[in-house]
Amino acid sequence: QKEVEQDPGPLSVPEGAIVSLNCTYSNSAFQYFMWYRQYSRKGPELLMYTYSSGNKEDGRFTAQVDKSSKYISLFIRDSQPSDSATYLCAMSAGMGGKLIFGQGTELSVKP
Amino acid sequence: GAVVSQHPSWVICKSGTSVKIECRSLDFQATTMFWYRQFPKQSLMLMATSNEGSKATYEQGVEKDKFLINHASLTLSTLTVTSAHPEDSSFYICSASLSDRGTVGYTFGSGTRLTVV
């Protein structure tokens, strides 16, 4: 069993839709949870991070962490074609510790 | 701020030769850097963790004699793929922890596409 599981998709939605991306994990030591966006053959860029359980909102993006269920989510509201990319969840046990990634979900937002 | 510059962005080499990839933190000091490889349509797989001034810690299954990592200064880490073979062709990405800046998160280089022919 992988430490972090993420549905690879691909996921295709119409412009304006709400997108839900999810990851599950098995290591209860994870405390820091992040979402990265990666365009084709570029380095990942950090979208959001959350420490421990809870919700965090930044513009059209909302991250949720449920440690009791070992489940994290990223919601994208009013999705745009420019949101088309691969979204990777990632988590670590400590600040600055090694980061474990999910497989990534390929998202396509159609105009 | 917090930029990691990775070079080269792509390289083609002959089988049996060695290739060096550099990652520099431009505006901060990075005590810890991480090296990943990524195959097409797959996630980033951690290869090793490098700490300035000490030996790198390799993940299980990663050949330390093949993937030489050097982190001689707080702003530079290098990955050398020795005696490269076609199966080493992949996308290699470095990352630096931002914990030295008191910030949660990591910043990534732009990646190096290695093709071994």
Side-chain angles (χ1 to χ4, degrees), chain A residues 32 34 36 38 41-44 46 49 88 92 94-104 106, chain B residues 34 36 38-44 46 59 91 93 97 99 102-106 108-110 113:
Chain A
Y32 296 88
M34 296 160 216
Y36 285 85
Q38 185 180 28
R41 286 321 190 199
K42 301 290 185 184
L46 180 66
Y49 78 86
L88 300 135
S92 69
M95 184 174 173
K98 66 180 183 180
L99 202 56
I100 306 300
F101 282 86
Q103 190 173 351
E106 187 179 348
Chain B
F34 304 90
Y36 296 84
Q38 185 178 33
F39 291 107
K41 301 285 187 182
Q42 294 189 25
S43 187
L44 283 76
L46 181 65
E59 295 298 302
F91 192 58
I93 308 175
S97 165
S99 61
T103 303
V104 173
Y106 306 76
F108 286 80
S110 54
R113 181 181 299 188

Short mmCIF file of all heavy atoms in Angstrom, two decimals, chain A residues 32 34 36 38 41-44 46 49 88 92 94-104 106, chain B residues 34 36 38-44 46 59 91 93 97 99 102-106 108-110 113:
data_model
loop_
_atom_site.label_atom_id
_atom_site.label_comp_id
_atom_site.label_asym_id
_atom_site.label_seq_id
_atom_site.Cartn_x
_atom_site.Cartn_y
_atom_site.Cartn_z
N TYR A 32 1.77 18.04 8.01
CA TYR A 32 1.73 19.15 7.05
C TYR A 32 1.20 18.62 5.73
O TYR A 32 1.72 17.62 5.19
CB TYR A 32 3.13 19.74 6.86
CG TYR A 32 3.67 20.37 8.12
CD1 TYR A 32 4.39 19.62 9.05
CD2 TYR A 32 3.45 21.72 8.39
CE1 TYR A 32 4.87 20.20 10.21
CE2 TYR A 32 3.94 22.31 9.55
CZ TYR A 32 4.64 21.54 10.45
OH TYR A 32 5.11 22.11 11.60
N MET A 34 -0.07 19.56 1.77
CA MET A 34 0.07 20.58 0.73
C MET A 34 -0.55 20.13 -0.58
O MET A 34 -0.71 18.93 -0.84
CB MET A 34 1.57 20.84 0.48
CG MET A 34 2.27 21.42 1.70
SD MET A 34 4.04 21.20 1.64
CE MET A 34 4.38 20.92 3.36
N TYR A 36 0.04 20.94 -4.68
CA TYR A 36 0.89 21.54 -5.70
C TYR A 36 0.22 21.43 -7.06
O TYR A 36 -0.54 20.49 -7.33
CB TYR A 36 2.25 20.84 -5.76
CG TYR A 36 3.18 21.18 -4.62
CD1 TYR A 36 3.11 20.49 -3.42
CD2 TYR A 36 4.12 22.19 -4.75
CE1 TYR A 36 3.95 20.81 -2.36
CE2 TYR A 36 4.98 22.51 -3.71
CZ TYR A 36 4.89 21.81 -2.51
OH TYR A 36 5.73 22.13 -1.48
N GLN A 38 1.21 21.33 -11.13
CA GLN A 38 2.34 21.11 -12.02
C GLN A 38 1.87 21.16 -13.47
O GLN A 38 1.02 20.37 -13.88
CB GLN A 38 3.02 19.76 -11.73
CG GLN A 38 4.28 19.52 -12.56
CD GLN A 38 4.94 18.20 -12.26
OE1 GLN A 38 4.28 17.24 -11.87
NE2 GLN A 38 6.25 18.13 -12.45
N ARG A 41 5.85 19.03 -17.54
CA ARG A 41 7.29 19.03 -17.47
C ARG A 41 7.89 20.29 -16.87
O ARG A 41 8.91 20.80 -17.31
CB ARG A 41 7.89 18.76 -18.86
CG ARG A 41 7.74 17.31 -19.30
CD ARG A 41 7.97 16.43 -18.13
NE ARG A 41 8.09 15.02 -18.44
CZ ARG A 41 7.94 14.07 -17.56
NH1 ARG A 41 7.64 14.36 -16.31
NH2 ARG A 41 8.09 12.80 -17.89
N LYS A 42 7.19 20.83 -15.88
CA LYS A 42 7.72 21.94 -15.09
C LYS A 42 7.78 21.49 -13.64
O LYS A 42 7.20 20.48 -13.26
CB LYS A 42 6.80 23.17 -15.21
CG LYS A 42 6.62 23.68 -16.62
CD LYS A 42 7.88 24.30 -17.14
CE LYS A 42 7.67 24.90 -18.52
NZ LYS A 42 8.91 25.43 -19.11
N GLY A 43 8.47 22.25 -12.83
CA GLY A 43 8.50 21.95 -11.42
C GLY A 43 7.16 22.28 -10.77
O GLY A 43 6.44 23.16 -11.23
N PRO A 44 6.79 21.56 -9.72
CA PRO A 44 5.52 21.86 -9.04
C PRO A 44 5.56 23.22 -8.35
O PRO A 44 6.61 23.65 -7.89
CB PRO A 44 5.43 20.75 -7.98
CG PRO A 44 6.42 19.72 -8.38
CD PRO A 44 7.49 20.43 -9.12
N LEU A 46 3.60 25.50 -5.31
CA LEU A 46 2.75 25.34 -4.14
C LEU A 46 1.47 26.16 -4.29
O LEU A 46 1.51 27.35 -4.57
CB LEU A 46 3.49 25.78 -2.88
CG LEU A 46 2.73 25.68 -1.56
CD1 LEU A 46 2.43 24.23 -1.22
CD2 LEU A 46 3.52 26.34 -0.44
N TYR A 49 -1.12 25.10 1.71
CA TYR A 49 -0.70 24.14 2.71
C TYR A 49 -1.59 24.30 3.94
O TYR A 49 -2.11 25.37 4.22
CB TYR A 49 0.77 24.31 3.07
CG TYR A 49 1.06 25.45 4.00
CD1 TYR A 49 0.97 25.30 5.39
CD2 TYR A 49 1.43 26.70 3.51
CE1 TYR A 49 1.24 26.36 6.24
CE2 TYR A 49 1.70 27.74 4.35
CZ TYR A 49 1.60 27.58 5.71
OH TYR A 49 1.87 28.63 6.55
N LEU A 88 -1.08 17.75 -7.44
CA LEU A 88 -0.43 16.75 -6.58
C LEU A 88 -0.66 17.10 -5.13
O LEU A 88 -0.40 18.23 -4.71
CB LEU A 88 1.07 16.72 -6.84
CG LEU A 88 1.52 16.37 -8.26
CD1 LEU A 88 2.60 17.30 -8.72
CD2 LEU A 88 2.04 14.94 -8.29
N SER A 92 4.03 15.79 4.81
CA SER A 92 5.24 15.48 5.55
C SER A 92 4.91 15.41 7.03
O SER A 92 3.92 15.97 7.51
CB SER A 92 6.33 16.53 5.30
OG SER A 92 5.98 17.77 5.88
N GLY A 94 7.10 16.41 9.44
CA GLY A 94 7.66 17.56 10.14
C GLY A 94 7.92 18.70 9.19
O GLY A 94 8.02 18.51 7.98
N MET A 95 8.00 19.90 9.75
CA MET A 95 8.29 21.07 8.94
C MET A 95 9.69 20.92 8.36
O MET A 95 10.66 20.78 9.09
CB MET A 95 8.22 22.31 9.83
CG MET A 95 8.40 23.61 9.10
SD MET A 95 8.11 24.99 10.23
CE MET A 95 8.58 26.36 9.20
N GLY A 96 9.78 20.92 7.04
CA GLY A 96 11.08 20.76 6.42
C GLY A 96 11.50 19.32 6.20
O GLY A 96 12.57 19.06 5.66
N GLY A 97 10.69 18.36 6.64
CA GLY A 97 10.99 16.95 6.45
C GLY A 97 10.68 16.48 5.05
O GLY A 97 10.17 17.23 4.23
N LYS A 98 10.99 15.23 4.78
CA LYS A 98 10.78 14.77 3.41
C LYS A 98 9.30 14.73 3.07
O LYS A 98 8.45 14.40 3.88
CB LYS A 98 11.44 13.42 3.18
CG LYS A 98 10.88 12.25 3.95
CD LYS A 98 11.68 10.99 3.58
CE LYS A 98 11.12 9.77 4.28
NZ LYS A 98 11.89 8.56 3.92
N LEU A 99 9.05 15.11 1.82
CA LEU A 99 7.70 15.29 1.33
C LEU A 99 7.32 14.06 0.50
O LEU A 99 8.06 13.65 -0.38
CB LEU A 99 7.68 16.54 0.47
CG LEU A 99 6.39 17.28 0.21
CD1 LEU A 99 5.72 17.69 1.51
CD2 LEU A 99 6.67 18.53 -0.63
N ILE A 100 6.16 13.50 0.81
CA ILE A 100 5.67 12.35 0.08
C ILE A 100 4.50 12.79 -0.78
O ILE A 100 3.54 13.39 -0.28
CB ILE A 100 5.23 11.22 1.02
CG1 ILE A 100 6.37 10.87 2.00
CG2 ILE A 100 4.81 10.00 0.22
CD1 ILE A 100 7.65 10.40 1.34
N PHE A 101 4.57 12.48 -2.06
CA PHE A 101 3.56 12.93 -3.01
C PHE A 101 2.55 11.84 -3.36
O PHE A 101 2.87 10.64 -3.36
CB PHE A 101 4.24 13.36 -4.32
CG PHE A 101 4.87 14.72 -4.25
CD1 PHE A 101 6.16 14.86 -3.78
CD2 PHE A 101 4.18 15.85 -4.67
CE1 PHE A 101 6.75 16.12 -3.71
CE2 PHE A 101 4.77 17.10 -4.60
CZ PHE A 101 6.05 17.23 -4.13
N GLY A 102 1.36 12.28 -3.66
CA GLY A 102 0.39 11.42 -4.31
C GLY A 102 0.73 11.30 -5.78
O GLY A 102 1.65 11.96 -6.28
N GLN A 103 -0.01 10.49 -6.47
CA GLN A 103 0.29 10.22 -7.88
C GLN A 103 0.01 11.42 -8.78
O GLN A 103 0.59 11.54 -9.86
CB GLN A 103 -0.51 9.00 -8.35
CG GLN A 103 -0.11 8.50 -9.72
CD GLN A 103 -0.79 7.21 -10.08
OE1 GLN A 103 -1.45 6.59 -9.26
NE2 GLN A 103 -0.66 6.77 -11.32
N GLY A 104 -0.87 12.31 -8.32
CA GLY A 104 -1.24 13.45 -9.14
C GLY A 104 -2.52 13.18 -9.92
O GLY A 104 -2.72 12.07 -10.42
N GLU A 106 -4.67 14.57 -13.14
CA GLU A 106 -4.61 15.42 -14.33
C GLU A 106 -5.98 16.04 -14.55
O GLU A 106 -6.97 15.34 -14.73
CB GLU A 106 -4.20 14.59 -15.54
CG GLU A 106 -3.96 15.38 -16.80
CD GLU A 106 -3.52 14.49 -17.96
OE1 GLU A 106 -3.19 13.32 -17.72
OE2 GLU A 106 -3.54 14.97 -19.10
N PHE B 34 16.13 18.22 -1.54
CA PHE B 34 15.59 16.92 -1.89
C PHE B 34 15.70 16.73 -3.40
O PHE B 34 15.53 17.67 -4.17
CB PHE B 34 14.11 16.81 -1.48
CG PHE B 34 13.87 17.08 -0.03
CD1 PHE B 34 13.61 18.36 0.43
CD2 PHE B 34 13.90 16.05 0.89
CE1 PHE B 34 13.39 18.63 1.78
CE2 PHE B 34 13.68 16.30 2.25
CZ PHE B 34 13.43 17.58 2.68
N TYR B 36 14.19 14.45 -6.61
CA TYR B 36 13.11 13.58 -7.05
C TYR B 36 13.34 13.18 -8.51
O TYR B 36 14.00 13.90 -9.27
CB TYR B 36 11.76 14.31 -6.98
CG TYR B 36 11.31 14.70 -5.59
CD1 TYR B 36 11.76 15.89 -4.99
CD2 TYR B 36 10.41 13.91 -4.88
CE1 TYR B 36 11.32 16.25 -3.74
CE2 TYR B 36 9.97 14.29 -3.62
CZ TYR B 36 10.44 15.45 -3.06
OH TYR B 36 10.00 15.82 -1.81
N GLN B 38 10.79 11.79 -11.83
CA GLN B 38 9.39 11.66 -12.22
C GLN B 38 9.33 11.07 -13.62
O GLN B 38 9.86 11.65 -14.57
CB GLN B 38 8.72 13.03 -12.20
CG GLN B 38 7.22 13.00 -12.48
CD GLN B 38 6.58 14.38 -12.39
OE1 GLN B 38 7.21 15.37 -12.72
NE2 GLN B 38 5.34 14.43 -11.95
N PHE B 39 8.65 9.93 -13.74
CA PHE B 39 8.41 9.32 -15.03
C PHE B 39 7.11 9.87 -15.59
O PHE B 39 6.26 10.37 -14.83
CB PHE B 39 8.38 7.80 -14.91
CG PHE B 39 9.72 7.20 -14.58
CD1 PHE B 39 9.97 6.70 -13.31
CD2 PHE B 39 10.72 7.16 -15.53
CE1 PHE B 39 11.21 6.17 -12.99
CE2 PHE B 39 11.97 6.62 -15.22
CZ PHE B 39 12.21 6.13 -13.95
N PRO B 40 6.92 9.79 -16.92
CA PRO B 40 5.71 10.35 -17.53
C PRO B 40 4.43 9.85 -16.87
O PRO B 40 4.29 8.65 -16.59
CB PRO B 40 5.81 9.89 -18.98
CG PRO B 40 7.27 9.73 -19.22
CD PRO B 40 7.83 9.22 -17.92
N LYS B 41 3.53 10.75 -16.60
CA LYS B 41 2.22 10.44 -16.02
C LYS B 41 2.34 9.85 -14.62
O LYS B 41 1.40 9.22 -14.14
CB LYS B 41 1.45 9.45 -16.92
CG LYS B 41 1.22 9.95 -18.34
CD LYS B 41 0.15 10.99 -18.40
CE LYS B 41 -0.18 11.34 -19.85
NZ LYS B 41 -1.21 12.39 -19.93
N GLN B 42 3.46 10.01 -13.99
CA GLN B 42 3.62 9.49 -12.64
C GLN B 42 4.01 10.60 -11.67
O GLN B 42 4.33 11.71 -12.08
CB GLN B 42 4.67 8.37 -12.62
CG GLN B 42 4.25 7.14 -13.40
CD GLN B 42 5.19 5.98 -13.19
OE1 GLN B 42 5.88 5.89 -12.17
NE2 GLN B 42 5.22 5.09 -14.15
N SER B 43 3.97 10.26 -10.40
CA SER B 43 4.25 11.27 -9.39
C SER B 43 5.74 11.43 -9.17
O SER B 43 6.57 10.76 -9.79
CB SER B 43 3.58 10.88 -8.09
OG SER B 43 3.69 11.92 -7.15
N LEU B 44 6.08 12.36 -8.30
CA LEU B 44 7.47 12.58 -7.95
C LEU B 44 7.89 11.52 -6.93
O LEU B 44 7.25 11.37 -5.88
CB LEU B 44 7.66 13.96 -7.33
CG LEU B 44 7.67 15.16 -8.28
CD1 LEU B 44 6.28 15.50 -8.76
CD2 LEU B 44 8.32 16.35 -7.61
N LEU B 46 10.74 10.43 -4.36
CA LEU B 46 11.90 10.95 -3.66
C LEU B 46 13.08 9.99 -3.83
O LEU B 46 12.95 8.79 -3.58
CB LEU B 46 11.58 11.13 -2.18
CG LEU B 46 12.70 11.68 -1.30
CD1 LEU B 46 13.06 13.11 -1.71
CD2 LEU B 46 12.29 11.63 0.17
N GLU B 59 16.81 7.03 -0.50
CA GLU B 59 15.63 6.21 -0.29
C GLU B 59 15.92 4.77 -0.71
O GLU B 59 16.84 4.50 -1.51
CB GLU B 59 14.45 6.76 -1.09
CG GLU B 59 13.99 8.13 -0.63
CD GLU B 59 13.49 8.14 0.81
OE1 GLU B 59 12.55 7.39 1.12
OE2 GLU B 59 14.06 8.90 1.61
N PHE B 91 12.66 12.69 -15.68
CA PHE B 91 12.60 14.10 -15.31
C PHE B 91 13.09 14.19 -13.87
O PHE B 91 12.51 13.56 -12.98
CB PHE B 91 11.16 14.58 -15.46
CG PHE B 91 10.97 16.07 -15.38
CD1 PHE B 91 11.62 16.91 -16.26
CD2 PHE B 91 10.11 16.64 -14.45
CE1 PHE B 91 11.44 18.29 -16.21
CE2 PHE B 91 9.91 18.01 -14.39
CZ PHE B 91 10.58 18.84 -15.27
N ILE B 93 13.96 16.50 -10.53
CA ILE B 93 13.58 17.78 -9.93
C ILE B 93 14.20 17.89 -8.53
O ILE B 93 14.18 16.93 -7.76
CB ILE B 93 12.05 17.91 -9.78
CG1 ILE B 93 11.34 17.61 -11.09
CG2 ILE B 93 11.66 19.30 -9.29
CD1 ILE B 93 9.82 17.61 -10.97
N SER B 97 13.78 22.90 1.21
CA SER B 97 12.86 23.20 2.30
C SER B 97 12.97 24.68 2.66
O SER B 97 14.06 25.26 2.63
CB SER B 97 13.23 22.36 3.52
OG SER B 97 12.60 22.85 4.68
N SER B 99 12.12 25.76 5.57
CA SER B 99 12.09 25.84 7.03
C SER B 99 13.19 26.76 7.56
O SER B 99 13.05 27.34 8.62
CB SER B 99 12.22 24.45 7.65
OG SER B 99 13.43 23.84 7.28
N GLY B 102 11.86 29.88 8.22
CA GLY B 102 10.73 29.90 9.14
C GLY B 102 9.40 29.77 8.45
O GLY B 102 8.37 30.14 9.01
N THR B 103 9.43 29.23 7.25
CA THR B 103 8.21 29.11 6.45
C THR B 103 7.93 27.64 6.18
O THR B 103 8.86 26.88 5.91
CB THR B 103 8.37 29.86 5.12
OG1 THR B 103 8.69 31.21 5.38
CG2 THR B 103 7.10 29.77 4.28
N VAL B 104 6.66 27.27 6.21
CA VAL B 104 6.29 25.91 5.85
C VAL B 104 6.28 25.82 4.33
O VAL B 104 5.82 26.73 3.64
CB VAL B 104 4.89 25.56 6.39
CG1 VAL B 104 4.44 24.21 5.87
CG2 VAL B 104 4.91 25.56 7.91
N GLY B 105 6.73 24.73 3.83
CA GLY B 105 6.66 24.52 2.39
C GLY B 105 8.00 24.27 1.77
O GLY B 105 9.04 24.24 2.45
N TYR B 106 7.96 24.06 0.52
CA TYR B 106 9.14 23.72 -0.24
C TYR B 106 9.08 24.44 -1.57
O TYR B 106 8.00 24.64 -2.12
CB TYR B 106 9.18 22.20 -0.50
CG TYR B 106 9.05 21.37 0.77
CD1 TYR B 106 7.82 21.22 1.40
CD2 TYR B 106 10.16 20.75 1.32
CE1 TYR B 106 7.71 20.47 2.57
CE2 TYR B 106 10.06 19.99 2.47
CZ TYR B 106 8.83 19.86 3.09
OH TYR B 106 8.72 19.13 4.24
N PHE B 108 10.52 24.35 -5.55
CA PHE B 108 11.05 23.38 -6.49
C PHE B 108 11.80 24.05 -7.63
O PHE B 108 11.45 25.16 -8.05
CB PHE B 108 9.91 22.53 -7.08
CG PHE B 108 9.36 21.53 -6.12
CD1 PHE B 108 8.45 21.90 -5.14
CD2 PHE B 108 9.75 20.20 -6.19
CE1 PHE B 108 7.96 20.97 -4.24
CE2 PHE B 108 9.25 19.26 -5.29
CZ PHE B 108 8.35 19.65 -4.32
N GLY B 109 12.81 23.34 -8.12
CA GLY B 109 13.45 23.77 -9.35
C GLY B 109 12.51 23.47 -10.52
O GLY B 109 11.47 22.84 -10.37
N SER B 110 12.91 23.92 -11.68
CA SER B 110 12.07 23.75 -12.87
C SER B 110 12.24 22.40 -13.53
O SER B 110 11.53 22.09 -14.48
CB SER B 110 12.36 24.86 -13.88
OG SER B 110 13.75 24.89 -14.16
N ARG B 113 15.12 17.45 -17.82
CA ARG B 113 14.73 16.26 -18.59
C ARG B 113 15.98 15.60 -19.13
O ARG B 113 16.70 16.18 -19.94
CB ARG B 113 13.80 16.62 -19.73
CG ARG B 113 13.35 15.41 -20.55
CD ARG B 113 12.47 15.78 -21.69
NE ARG B 113 11.24 16.42 -21.25
CZ ARG B 113 10.22 16.70 -22.05
NH1 ARG B 113 10.29 16.42 -23.33
NH2 ARG B 113 9.15 17.29 -21.60
#
